[in-house]
Amino acid sequence: MKKIIQVALGILTSIGGFLDVGAIATSAQAGAAFGFELIWALVLGTVCVTFLVEMSGRLAAASKHTLAEAVRERFGAKFYFIQYIVEVVVDFLVLAAEIGGVCIALQLVTGLSYRWWVLPVAFFLWLLLWKGTFDLIENSVAILGLVTLVFVAAAVVVKPDWSSVLAGVVPSVARHDTAHYLFIAVSIVGALVSPYLFFFYSSGAVESKWDREYIGVNRAIAVVGMGFGSIVSLGLLVAAAVVLHPRGIQVDSYNQAALTLVQPFGFIGFLLFAASLGITCFGAALEVGLDQAYITAQAFGWRWGESQKPSKDARFSMTYTVVIFLSSLLMVAGIDPLQLTLFTMALSAAILPIVIVPFLVLMNDERYVGKYRNGWISNAVVIFIIGLAFVLAIVALPLEILGG
Amino acid sequence: MSQEDRKEINLIRDVLDNQLVDRHKQPMGRADGLIIELRTGEPPRLAYIEAGAQTLARRLHPKLSNWVSKLASRFGKDGEPYRIPWSRVHDVGIDIDVGVDAEKTPVMLFEQWLREHVVGRIPGGS
Amino acid sequence: MTKRHEVHLELLLGKHVRDKDGLKVGRIEEVRAHEQGEEWVVKEYLIGPVAILERLSALPLAGGILGLVTGKVPSGYKVPWDKLDLSDPEHPCLTCTRGQLEPLTRGKEAGKKKGKSNVKL
């Protein structure tokens, strides 16, 4: 019975927490710029993240190690250092973008520039991590995040041509603006397959003291949670495709993205968009901030745990404190949140091989996961998608920088 | 006891970089270094596990290690990295069980400093 | 300060080993220890690419693929403790020639790595 509740909670968390600033920005951009043509990128990203999240939980449950711990132990300090630096830099940028997302949401509602909201938001983020427990944070993210179901409602209400939607599932070549098309495709994959997710998820599983009994629970949560979560992202893309694309409206700011809900639902839609943006970004910021503390503490072998009082793991707690404060400065400085988000998502895709390859090796290592090793399907799917994302990123990033 | 019956461990795979855990089951860092003592006519003896940022830094680059040493001395650590005699190591499995009390060793100096000077001063910390 | 007769294994890892004739043998990838009376002592060093694969023990095809790609089957050696001279830890060298070493084969080593070693000392 208890397991069923945990599965349900886990699924809700995955759905409510699926969207974040990256998924919102890239889905809205994709729909506005290319209609339904990029739905395949969403599908690819979802399939990949489902496999990887499941693997992340399975690693933790089977080996009692988090991903970061296992990588350092297996591959040594020198290799882990490279992965760590890369991960920390990207995490830092993602955190800044998520904080930016929350502040933009507040700007939408109040009219007050996002830069004024940064320090209060950062403080509130910190306060929640300082005083809260892991379960409290995850569960509130889950429940509040369900507001994003409004995007699914919007997609239905705007009456898209469902056969065109279905056609978008098939990968296609760009009909125009190839560089931008590839860039958005890569950004979608980077947004969905966020490297921080795997470190975070395995840390959470260890915090929740999962063991081999939870392998099934983990699988259910990953598949159902990610699957339904992606429908929310799809909803936003479809709504953007119907509302913005025919009018040639590009998403250059979150105001335009908000139109996806304003058109079907009016002013309530606008408020719901702001709520969705604010809540999901806040939840993601909590996770990314925590993630940096997790990977740092685990790299050095410090005591760590969100459910412990900060005085019991001072270095861990100070890590997220410092990181939240520093990354918020990027937003205070006035860096455009939307541009930062899109760039960071593509960067995330580019670093995926560094994170995923050791991960895959571990998932095939009997000494860590015992009989719960990866089947050839898991290996094949992940290798394919990561390889694809990496190639696209190498191609698209320079093109976008040169072109934009 | 025949040769094959003797317990064997792979030092790089199973000891180096693994989590150290003290007698109260508290994490106390990682085995950042492993020291063997060479002897004439006899096999080298496992002498110490070394733990600490200086040891770790030296693996990456010797200059980094000097810089870390200077930083560490500001938090009360003396120049020497912390060494655990191999005789104190009880079990090598998922973690390395060590028969010491982490709080009494230099590995916790930074943690204790933070606890006292920063975390303790922020409400809700303890 | 490291005493003259102390060697840091974490710094020895990955160092190239040459034999008595100056030929490169491989890099030190693993060090095995066993109990001897009250102490634990070094039994042998594992050197060469097979040792890496053994340490990663990951994709079982990797060795076969490497062999196909490079034309060489990955090789490695077991070096008993008394055959490695560590008086200069930056340049470890064999006290014998390469030909006198026992080669590592993947099959032989595979049998030894079942389960994470949970060794009570």
Side-chain angles (χ1 to χ4, degrees):
Chain A
M1 188 60 218
K2 184 179 170 211
K3 289 242 175 83
I4 297 181
I5 296 180
Q6 289 188 305
V7 171
L9 259 179
I11 291 175
L12 282 179
T13 309
S14 301
I15 299 176
F18 193 88
L19 286 189
D20 70 336
V21 78
I24 292 178
T26 55
S27 298
Q29 277 246 328
F34 297 102
F36 303 123
E37 285 170 43
L38 279 170
I39 291 182
W40 60 268
L42 204 63
V43 172
L44 217 57
T46 303
V47 168
C48 197
V49 76
T50 304
F51 272 95
L52 287 168
V53 160
E54 190 276 331
M55 279 163 52
S56 179
R58 185 162 23 112
L59 176 70
S63 73
K64 302 283 180 75
H65 277 85
T66 67
L67 180 56
E69 289 171 345
V71 173
R72 169 148 183 206
E73 286 177 18
R74 196 78 172 61
F75 299 98
K78 268 199 239 182
F79 173 79
Y80 182 67
F81 181 68
I82 299 170
Q83 192 192 69
Y84 174 74
I85 293 295
V86 165
E87 183 59 27
V88 157
V89 167
V90 173
D91 264 8
F92 187 77
L93 295 175
V94 172
L95 181 57
E98 303 287 355
I99 292 177
V102 181
C103 298
I104 290 282
L106 289 165
Q107 176 184 300
L108 285 176
V109 169
T110 64
L112 189 59
S113 164
Y114 73 93
R115 293 166 72 180
W116 289 108
W117 291 106
V118 178
L119 290 178
V121 166
F123 175 72
F124 192 46
L125 258 177
W126 169 82
L127 191 65
L128 220 59
L129 286 181
W130 193 256
K131 296 223 140 210
T133 63
F134 185 80
D135 281 337
L136 173 71
I137 289 171
E138 284 295 278
N139 294 339
S140 12
V141 163
I143 306 303
L144 292 173
L146 291 174
V147 70
T148 55
L149 288 172
V150 69
F151 288 116
V152 181
V156 172
V157 165
V158 296
K159 294 201 188 28
D161 173 14
W162 289 107
S163 59
S164 298
V165 173
L166 212 54
V169 172
V170 178
S172 56
V173 195
R175 287 189 208 139
H176 60 96
D177 216 351
T178 309
H180 194 55
Y181 183 82
L182 285 179
F183 181 73
I184 301 283
V186 163
S187 300
I188 289 179
V189 175
L192 295 183
V193 192
S194 292
Y196 82 81
L197 265 181
F198 320 123
F199 293 103
F200 180 80
Y201 196 74
S202 64
S203 300
V206 170
E207 283 238 44
S208 306
K209 302 206 182 340
W210 280 11
D211 57 22
R212 293 175 179 218
E213 310 272 301
Y214 281 83
I215 302 270
V217 166
N218 170 58
R219 196 155 278 170
I221 293 177
V223 174
V224 180
M226 293 289 133
F228 279 108
S230 70
I231 293 180
V232 176
S233 211
L234 181 66
L236 172 53
L237 192 157
V238 167
V242 175
V243 172
L244 303 176
H245 184 62
R247 297 184 178 82
I249 301 176
Q250 295 295 311
V251 174
D252 293 318
S253 78
Y254 287 102
N255 284 301
Q256 286 143 336
L259 290 172
T260 55
L261 290 186
V262 170
Q263 216 251 36
F265 300 128
F267 186 64
I268 301 280
F270 180 74
L271 290 178
L272 286 172
F273 180 84
S276 297
L277 183 65
I279 290 172
T280 56
C281 291
F282 194 81
L286 286 171
E287 293 188 352
V288 180
L290 258 184
D291 184 60
Q292 282 174 288
Y294 281 141
I295 62 178
T296 305
Q298 288 157 18
F300 291 112
W302 302 339
R303 200 186 298 165
W304 57 272
E306 171 52 12
S307 303
Q308 305 199 35
K309 289 230 172 269
S311 63
K312 288 259 175 290
D313 45 23
R315 288 169 294 186
F316 171 77
S317 317
M318 288 315 296
T319 303
Y320 64 68
T321 303
V322 167
V323 149
I324 287 174
F325 174 66
L326 285 180
S327 69
S328 68
L329 293 181
L330 286 181
M331 285 298 115
V332 173
I335 296 183
D336 177 59
L338 185 58
Q339 290 309 311
L340 179 66
T341 302
L342 294 172
F343 174 73
T344 307
M345 293 305 120
L347 194 62
S348 288
I351 71 158
L352 276 173
I354 301 179
V355 174
I356 303 302
V357 170
F359 191 3
L360 267 185
V361 171
L362 285 165
M363 294 312 295
N364 285 283
D365 185 349
E366 217 173 47
R367 283 183 303 113
Y368 276 82
V369 289
K371 61 175 181 171
Y372 300 106
R373 290 163 64 185
N374 264 9
W376 68 271
I377 300 180
S378 297
N379 287 333
V381 166
V382 172
I383 291 175
F384 171 70
I385 298 184
I386 299 310
L388 186 66
F390 179 66
V391 166
L392 289 181
I394 297 300
V395 166
L397 261 168
L399 279 178
E400 182 73 8
I401 294 175
L402 293 173
Chain B
M1 199 195 304
S2 69
Q3 203 76 351
E4 287 85 58
D5 287 350
R6 276 202 252 180
K7 289 180 273 199
E8 265 184 36
I9 48 180
N10 285 13
L11 295 175
I12 307 294
R13 191 188 71 186
D14 296 332
V15 178
L16 192 63
D17 291 316
N18 277 33
Q19 178 83 52
L20 297 167
V21 167
D22 80 349
R23 64 155 61 101
H24 303 297
K25 299 267 179 277
Q26 291 301 311
M28 56 177 283
R30 291 185 172 273
D32 299 309
L34 248 180
I35 296 169
I36 57 175
E37 186 193 324
L38 301 179
R39 306 178 290 189
T40 41
E42 287 200 85
R45 180 181 77 92
L46 296 192
Y48 306 100
I49 290 180
E50 229 177 54
Q54 293 137 283
T55 313
L56 190 58
R58 190 173 37 199
R59 285 164 76 180
L60 299 170
H61 197 282
K63 284 229 176 72
L64 198 62
S65 186
N66 292 338
W67 185 77
V68 171
S69 289
K70 292 205 184 81
L71 208 63
S73 57
R74 297 187 68 222
F75 296 104
K77 292 194 210 219
D78 63 35
E80 298 304 308
Y82 175 57
R83 291 184 172 191
I84 303 169
W86 188 260
S87 52
R88 301 287 217 139
V89 176
H90 295 321
D91 189 15
V92 171
I94 292 184
D95 300 324
I96 304 172
D97 291 333
V98 176
V100 298
D101 187 347
E103 294 285 333
K104 300 203 171 80
T105 66
V107 295
M108 296 301 263
L109 278 174
F110 184 39
E111 172 89 11
Q112 287 159 350
W113 187 93
L114 277 177
R115 210 184 279 161
E116 201 189 303
H117 291 94
V118 185
V119 176
R121 300 224 177 113
I122 302 176
S126 41
Chain C
M1 194 168 49
T2 311
K3 301 198 199 114
R4 213 162 24 97
H5 53 270
E6 282 180 354
V7 170
H8 282 259
L9 284 184
E10 76 277 7
L11 299 175
L12 198 61
L13 179 62
K15 289 270 187 304
H16 273 298
V17 174
R18 289 178 187 272
D19 75 354
K20 227 170 46 164
D21 302 328
L23 292 170
K24 264 196 192 162
V25 182
R27 293 190 205 249
I28 300 178
E29 294 299 338
E30 183 59 87
V31 181
R32 287 222 183 106
H34 60 190
E35 254 186 317
Q36 185 172 288
E38 294 286 305
E39 319 175 303
W40 281 74
V41 299
V42 171
K43 177 186 174 198
E44 61 199 357
Y45 306 88
L46 302 188
I47 289 177
V50 171
I52 295 192
L53 287 180
E54 133 86 21
R55 189 151 71 91
L56 294 185
S57 69
L59 314 163
L61 291 176
I65 292 176
L66 256 180
L68 281 173
V69 169
T70 63
K72 286 184 267 187
V73 179
S75 61
Y77 301 96
K78 257 200 252 195
V79 179
W81 68 268
D82 51 346
K83 297 270 189 305
L84 190 67
D85 177 9
L86 289 174
S87 46
D88 177 8
E90 289 291 313
H91 306 99
C93 60
L94 298 178
T95 59
C96 60
T97 62
R98 191 164 70 180
Q100 291 169 320
L101 291 176
E102 185 189 337
L104 277 174
T105 57
R106 282 199 314 283
K108 211 174 175 185
E109 295 313 308
K112 286 202 178 146
K113 64 168 169 66
K114 281 206 169 57
K116 199 150 205 309
S117 61
N118 212 310
V119 179
K120 280 241 177 312
L121 302 189

